Amino acid sequence: MGLLEMRIPGTEMHVVTFVFSALEIVMFFYQLIFFISRPTDKSRLRYLILLFLLIIYNIVGGLLPDKNIEIPVQLQNCISYSTGFLMAAYFPYYFYKGFDLKNLRFHTYYGWFIYLFIPYVLFVYLYYRTDDLEYAAKIAMSFPIVYSLILFYSITKSVIGKYKENKGKPDVMEMIGLYIAYSSWFGVPIVTYFQASQAYEYLCSNTGFFVMTVLFVRKTVHQQRYEYNKLQELNESLTEKVKERTRQLEQSNEQKTNFFVNLAHETKTPLTLIKNYFEEYIAKLDDPEELADELKVVKNNIDKLSKDIINFFDLERFNKGLDVYSHRYVSNFSRILADNLVLFKVYCSKRKIKLIEYIEPDLLIKAHPQSLDRIINNLIENAIKFSPEEGSIEVKLQAHANEIHFSIKDKGIGISPELHNKLFEPYYQINNEKSNSQGMGLGLSIVKSIVDSLHGHIIIHSNPEKEPGTEIIITLEKHISTDKELEIEFKVDDRPSFSFENYQVDEPVFKDSQQTILLVEDNLELLSYLLKKLGKKYNVYASRNGTEALRKLKEMPIPQLIISDIMMDGMDGFKLAKIISDTERYNHIPFLFITAKSTQKDKLAGLNMGALDVIQKPFSMTELLYKVEAVLTSHSRQRKALLNQFASHSVKIMSDGQEEILIDGMEQKKIRFEHNCKVYNLTSQETEITKRLIEGITYKKIGEELFISEFTVKTHAQNIFKKVDVQNKLALIKKFEK
């Protein structure tokens, strides 16, 4: 038996058809993977559809008709021929789109219907009427054969028109492949017409497909090469643009840096003059310790500003690779540390922090003494700053072989391991919370730069999830002094640039005759200053952030004005204003914002939150006092106008023509209620709860309105019952009605 006559055992499929089908199935899934990775590739999608139709044509046409299948033979033949007609109908569309042959538009959308679909319907009709497959096939196949000649003419015309339009050399390989593929397509209806064997029919159709596959692969390779070259050109162009943009940004950054360095440099001179004249003034005082609180604030802020400017200036010098310190000196690390600790013990005692020290004597290092002094000051300052009261700080200086280990360990808030690498970056704050003593975040960056210049290294041990506190260990090279070397003398500054003052924020004694203000500001110095200035004329209550302010509102009389900073930890000023405006009890209170944000957008945001004004820092205290007075006066007038309007319906004309304002029932109840609260010595919180109990509001609802738990409300209610000498809410209502 010849190869073209061999069949797959148990089927009607020839071996040739099976081999073609197996290869095409592998190719289909291979191409499908590429299409899934690039679903926008329309060319590959068209090829996949052609391949799928060919596989269906091979499998269905190869297996049918089969007498072993329980389907009528006539239906099997109709299904088999339908796959051939369907595949043939797709070819004009593939030529039209795949090879950009515009003259095939008619065949793509109409020709297949006239010359393929209608003949197939005719085939089915004749076959079922005559039950003669050969007769029906010859009649039906006459139309596709004629159509093939028409299509040949259209293809030739399209190819000529395409290359004339492009005005280029024709792609000979594409033309040859196109006509070979067409010849195979043309041969299928002829082979079918003469009822040739299955092997010849499928050999003819699949040969044309493989030619089209070669054309598709060839076109894909050319397209990918073209895209690759374009990407290379685009990459080169983008690389050049990135380089140019990088140069511009570097130049812009250099200009900005130079501007700030020059600004810092220019600022150092006036700061030096201010600081020196101020220190001379203090030195002339009989007792410098009795310096006025206001002048202490001035001095501390001058020192802080000077320190920040020096840190900024030195950091830029480190970044530019310039020498800030000359390390040709031999310094006694032990003595410098011991002298510094004498000063720090004073500050630790103020905060009840225990300072534990272990200093191995006479440890020498080849370094500028001021650089060591700076390392010590920065690290111990941070340890004190972030340690809780009654905590402890452990300072050690020990020799280990040829190295010196300087370590500082505190029991503070700690630093998460993922932040250890960021700790020494410029401008990075140790924690996110703003504090009165917080600087620009340059100190630790300076420490790192100094340690690097001494060829040392820093290790951080801290994980708040396991235990509180942080330990920073600095390892430096120990110096062995010779007889010819002398230690450089260094005197520790007895006026350090750090301060841990506990500014008082004592609220003034409440006076019924004065209006009340709630002040919300997180900077202790500014908060203390505003309390002193505003407290001379008003009842001022102070809070450090929005959360604290909401708690304070529940405990204090309702204020006539709220003055709030915007940038605060926990709850900021904007969120506080939003909560106040959404709370019926407080939404009438006017708002003033004070902020360091200076853009028009920030001011509009504040006004949009309902604030009467946004005062930008630095501000004039005189201006603030005038604005506060104007707001309170306006608020007082509006309140009086509303009360007069409320009472206008109770006006009584007296016999002498004068008016008398009568107090209506609601106002009488209010006065009686307030009088009873004073008689029973109820606190402001108890007063609010009593008011709601009388109105019949539940404990849970009272808790929601006053931002406290239901248990707390019940506890307060028991205290109220005890003070008023009643047993339940009903008795309380009767008692207050008297």
Side-chain angles (χ1 to χ4, degrees):
M1 184 182 294
L3 179 63
L4 298 179
E5 298 177 0
M6 291 180 63
R7 300 174 185 271
I8 302 297
T11 71
E12 294 297 318
M13 181 179 286
H14 284 271
V15 172
V16 173
T17 308
F18 174 78
V19 171
F20 278 127
S21 299
L23 287 172
E24 287 160 2
I25 289 172
V26 173
M27 291 170 62
F28 177 81
F29 284 104
Y30 180 73
Q31 292 296 331
L32 183 63
I33 292 170
F34 278 97
F35 176 72
I36 292 172
S37 64
R38 291 185 64 179
T40 57
D41 189 349
K42 302 298 182 184
S43 175
R44 197 176 302 276
L45 176 62
R46 290 192 292 269
Y47 176 78
L48 279 170
I49 294 172
L50 176 65
L51 184 54
F52 177 76
L53 293 174
L54 187 64
I55 292 170
I56 297 298
Y57 167 68
N58 287 341
I59 294 174
V60 175
L63 292 174
L64 302 180
D66 189 340
K67 295 179 180 180
N68 296 321
I69 299 175
E70 295 181 359
I71 297 176
V73 174
Q74 282 185 320
L75 180 59
Q76 291 187 45
N77 280 317
C78 288
I79 294 171
S80 175
Y81 272 76
S82 70
T83 59
F85 277 98
L86 184 62
M87 184 194 67
Y90 185 71
F91 261 80
Y93 176 81
Y94 188 81
F95 285 162
Y96 172 64
K97 289 290 186 179
F99 297 97
D100 194 25
L101 301 178
K102 296 180 180 178
N103 284 345
L104 296 184
R105 179 179 176 83
F106 170 80
H107 299 284
T108 300
Y109 295 104
Y110 307 106
W112 69 270
F113 182 82
I114 297 171
Y115 295 104
L116 294 174
F117 179 73
I118 293 176
Y120 174 72
V121 174
L122 178 62
F123 162 76
V124 173
Y125 173 76
L126 292 174
Y127 183 36
Y128 271 91
R129 286 293 301 270
T130 64
D131 196 25
D132 188 341
L133 177 64
E134 184 177 351
Y135 170 74
K138 284 187 176 181
I139 297 296
M141 286 300 163
S142 301
F143 291 92
I145 292 172
V146 174
Y147 180 49
S148 299
L149 297 174
I150 297 171
L151 187 62
F152 176 81
Y153 171 77
S154 298
I155 289 174
T156 304
K157 188 177 178 180
S158 294
V159 170
I160 294 170
K162 176 182 177 181
Y163 290 111
K164 278 185 178 180
E165 183 180 338
N166 294 339
K167 295 180 181 180
K169 292 182 179 180
D171 189 338
V172 178
M173 290 296 294
E174 183 180 276
M175 290 177 63
I176 293 172
L178 179 64
Y179 279 106
I180 292 174
Y182 167 76
S183 299
S184 298
W185 182 85
F186 173 68
V188 172
I190 295 175
V191 171
T192 306
Y193 181 85
F194 289 105
Q195 294 294 305
S197 70
Q198 181 189 125
Y200 282 110
E201 179 184 345
Y202 287 93
L203 183 64
C204 183
S205 61
N206 284 277
T207 300
F209 167 75
F210 279 107
V211 172
M212 296 185 73
T213 298
V214 172
L215 292 177
F216 169 74
V217 171
R218 180 174 175 270
K219 187 175 182 179
T220 302
V221 169
H222 287 171
Q223 181 66 24
Q224 289 182 346
R225 282 180 179 174
Y226 174 78
E227 290 176 357
Y228 175 77
N229 292 332
K230 282 291 183 183
L231 282 173
Q232 287 293 99
E233 292 175 9
L234 180 62
N235 185 51
E236 291 174 4
S237 175
L238 286 174
T239 301
E240 190 58 37
K241 287 181 179 179
V242 168
K243 287 180 180 178
E244 179 61 27
R245 183 59 179 159
T246 302
R247 283 194 293 269
Q248 292 175 357
L249 290 172
E250 286 176 350
Q251 185 178 2
S252 175
N253 187 54
E254 183 70 18
Q255 289 173 348
K256 290 179 181 178
T257 301
N258 289 336
F259 169 76
F260 283 112
V261 170
N262 291 335
L263 178 64
H265 184 74
E266 292 300 319
T267 308
K268 286 173 77 174
T269 300
L271 273 175
T272 302
L273 290 171
I274 294 170
K275 185 173 181 178
N276 281 279
Y277 274 116
F278 195 77
E279 287 176 354
E280 287 179 13
Y281 169 76
I282 294 173
K284 292 176 182 178
L285 296 175
D286 294 334
D287 186 0
E289 293 299 323
E290 294 182 0
L291 192 66
D293 290 340
E294 289 83 355
L295 292 179
K296 286 182 180 178
V297 172
V298 173
K299 179 184 181 302
N300 289 335
N301 279 277
I302 290 173
D303 291 338
K304 184 175 181 295
L305 185 58
S306 298
K307 178 185 174 184
D308 288 338
I309 292 294
I310 291 169
N311 279 342
F312 176 78
F313 195 73
D314 286 350
L315 183 62
E316 288 304 317
R317 292 179 64 188
F318 274 119
N319 290 339
K320 290 178 180 292
L322 302 175
D323 290 330
V324 178
Y325 297 107
S326 174
H327 297 305
R328 65 178 184 272
Y329 305 100
V330 176
S331 301
N332 191 319
F333 202 158
S334 303
R335 189 180 302 152
I336 295 171
L337 177 59
D339 290 346
N340 269 288
L341 289 181
V342 172
L343 296 172
F344 278 111
K345 284 177 182 177
V346 176
Y347 291 97
C348 286
S349 63
K350 288 182 179 179
R351 297 190 59 187
K352 300 178 182 177
I353 296 174
K354 186 178 181 182
L355 186 59
I356 305 166
E357 59 179 282
Y358 177 80
I359 304 174
E360 192 172 321
D362 296 325
L363 293 181
L364 304 180
I365 184 171
K366 202 157 188 180
H368 194 289
Q370 194 173 2
S371 68
L372 300 178
D373 180 72
R374 207 160 181 183
I375 291 173
I376 293 165
N377 272 272
N378 272 296
L379 295 183
I380 300 181
E381 274 185 53
N382 283 331
I384 297 175
K385 191 185 301 182
F386 298 108
S387 288
E389 287 197 2
E390 299 184 0
S392 65
I393 297 173
E394 194 175 288
V395 180
K396 290 182 180 180
L397 184 67
Q398 298 172 299
H400 294 270
N402 295 323
E403 294 179 336
I404 292 176
H405 290 188
F406 171 49
S407 67
I408 297 177
K409 186 177 183 180
D410 62 56
K411 299 293 184 182
I413 57 176
I415 305 163
S416 299
E418 62 270 16
L419 300 179
H420 289 183
N421 291 332
K422 298 177 67 67
L423 188 61
F424 297 100
E425 291 180 4
Y427 310 105
Y428 182 77
Q429 304 289 351
I430 292 179
N431 70 332
N432 293 324
E433 295 183 4
K434 295 165 65 182
S435 67
N436 201 58
S437 55
Q438 193 170 28
M440 294 171 64
L442 297 177
L444 291 176
S445 182
I446 293 287
V447 169
K448 181 70 166 61
S449 298
I450 294 172
V451 172
D452 288 344
S453 69
L454 293 170
H455 308 292
H457 57 271
I458 304 175
I459 300 173
I460 302 171
H461 296 299
S462 184
N463 190 344
E465 293 183 1
K466 293 183 178 180
E467 61 176 339
T470 301
E471 182 180 18
I472 297 179
I473 303 171
I474 294 179
T475 302
L476 299 170
E477 186 179 347
K478 181 181 176 183
H479 180 70
I480 307 299
S481 181
T482 63
D483 295 337
K484 295 181 179 179
E485 289 181 323
L486 294 175
E487 295 177 22
I488 185 172
E489 292 293 328
F490 179 73
K491 184 177 183 298
V492 173
D493 190 354
D494 58 357
R495 295 187 302 275
S497 60
F498 52 84
S499 173
F500 300 103
E501 296 291 341
N502 291 319
Y503 293 96
Q504 297 299 316
V505 288
D506 295 333
E507 296 159 351
V509 178
F510 183 84
K511 296 179 181 178
D512 290 333
S513 60
Q514 293 181 344
Q515 291 171 300
T516 302
I517 297 173
L518 174 60
L519 184 61
V520 191
E521 168 61 54
D522 62 349
N523 183 281
L524 282 174
E525 281 181 290
L526 184 56
L527 186 63
S528 176
Y529 174 71
L530 291 173
L531 269 173
K532 288 178 182 178
K533 295 298 181 182
L534 293 170
K536 295 176 181 179
K537 191 174 181 180
Y538 308 104
N539 298 315
V540 185
Y541 290 81
S543 298
R544 295 284 303 278
N545 54 50
T547 306
E548 190 177 317
L550 289 177
R551 286 199 300 266
K552 182 78 71 172
L553 275 171
K554 300 169 193 173
E555 301 167 357
M556 61 179 282
I558 295 178
Q560 281 76 50
L561 173 65
I562 296 176
I563 302 174
S564 175
D565 189 9
I566 293 177
M567 295 175 64
M568 296 180 293
D569 296 313
M571 184 188 294
D572 63 20
F574 282 158
K575 191 171 183 181
L576 172 64
K578 177 71 169 59
I579 292 174
I580 294 294
S581 65
D582 292 341
T583 306
E584 185 178 354
R585 185 165 182 253
Y586 304 124
N587 59 14
H588 66 283
I589 305 172
F591 233 93
L592 282 179
F593 279 129
I594 51 176
T595 179
K597 293 187 172 185
S598 57
T599 65
Q600 185 69 12
K601 182 180 177 181
D602 296 323
K603 186 170 184 178
L604 290 174
L607 295 174
N608 189 49
M609 294 300 299
L612 295 179
D613 200 359
V614 178
I615 303 168
Q616 295 170 350
K617 298 176 184 178
F619 57 84
S620 165
M621 190 63 214
T622 304
E623 180 185 355
L624 178 63
L625 288 171
Y626 278 131
K627 286 188 177 181
V628 169
E629 180 65 26
V631 170
L632 291 176
T633 301
S634 175
H635 183 257
S636 179
R637 288 173 181 170
Q638 290 175 2
R639 188 170 181 274
K640 287 180 180 178
L642 287 171
L643 287 174
N644 288 338
Q645 186 179 6
F646 177 74
S648 61
H649 64 87
S650 299
V651 174
K652 177 182 178 181
I653 306 298
M654 306 299 292
S655 58
D656 57 359
Q658 294 180 341
E659 291 183 351
E660 179 185 358
I661 304 297
L662 299 181
I663 300 174
D664 66 2
M666 287 183 64
E667 193 68 20
Q668 288 178 4
K669 287 183 179 179
K670 182 179 177 182
I671 294 172
R672 184 166 61 246
F673 174 79
E674 291 176 353
H675 173 73
N676 285 333
C677 288
K678 290 181 180 179
V679 169
Y680 296 120
N681 196 26
L682 301 182
T683 65
S684 58
Q685 183 84 304
E686 291 171 344
T687 299
E688 292 299 325
I689 292 173
T690 302
K691 177 183 176 183
R692 286 162 173 77
L693 289 173
I694 291 172
E695 291 173 358
I697 300 174
T698 63
Y699 290 151
K700 184 177 180 181
K701 185 67 175 176
I702 294 172
E704 290 174 357
E705 290 183 2
L706 299 181
F707 307 102
I708 56 178
S709 67
E710 185 178 354
F711 176 78
T712 303
V713 175
K714 289 180 179 179
T715 303
H716 279 299
Q718 294 300 321
N719 291 335
I720 293 167
F721 294 159
K722 188 175 181 181
K723 286 183 178 181
V724 182
D725 193 21
V726 295
Q727 299 297 323
N728 50 49
K729 285 194 283 186
L730 183 61
L732 179 70
I733 294 170
K734 290 181 178 180
K735 195 102 173 197
F736 268 76
E737 284 179 350
K738 294 180 180 179

